[in-house]
Amino acid sequence: MRIEFGSWDMVAAKWVLGLIPSEALPRIATAALEAGLDSPSLRQLAGELHPTLGTEGPLFEEILDEIGVGIPDRSRAGLVLARAHAADITTGTLSPYEGACQIWSIESDVEGLLPDLGSFVYWASEWQDANSPARRQECEAGIRKAALDLAPPDYGAA
């Protein structure tokens, strides 16, 4: 099931990385209810008018647990989000440079991801310094290859 912030795994990853604001929590709960999920926790969160991370955050984590979505550590969350950006690069939903910059941002924010995401950092940096359209095309090809390595065409298929 996909909701406002993506699949439930993506929601959990964004939650861990602090990318879901408190005011979005009732909308996420409402979408889950509309999709057929139901629990007292979901109903409670869907009805919150002024959610705060301090109060509704633990409730949201309880909901994730109730529906069987594990809460990843920061490294795993960063990789989930980076793979989604890589998949968007491979499908053309996101330009290679913009996608690489978003992945670079994740690598900067989440410790320990350089081995997995370093090629995006390299190619985005090279793209910024490129002094010709040919060099930028070369950089974009490097980004596309890195994206295919991180999120092959069958990524997400199950």
Side-chain angles (χ1 to χ4, degrees), residues 52-65:
T52 64
L53 293 178
T55 304
E56 280 67 44
L59 180 61
F60 184 65
E61 290 182 5
E62 182 180 320
I63 290 167
L64 291 174
D65 185 55

Side-chain angles (χ1 to χ4, degrees), residues 35-68:
L37 297 175
D38 192 15
S39 75
S41 303
L42 268 172
R43 282 184 252 124
Q44 179 183 344
L45 185 56
E48 287 297 328
L49 298 177
H50 304 288
T52 64
L53 293 178
T55 304
E56 280 67 44
L59 180 61
F60 184 65
E61 290 182 5
E62 182 180 320
I63 290 167
L64 291 174
D65 185 55
E66 286 175 358
I67 62 175

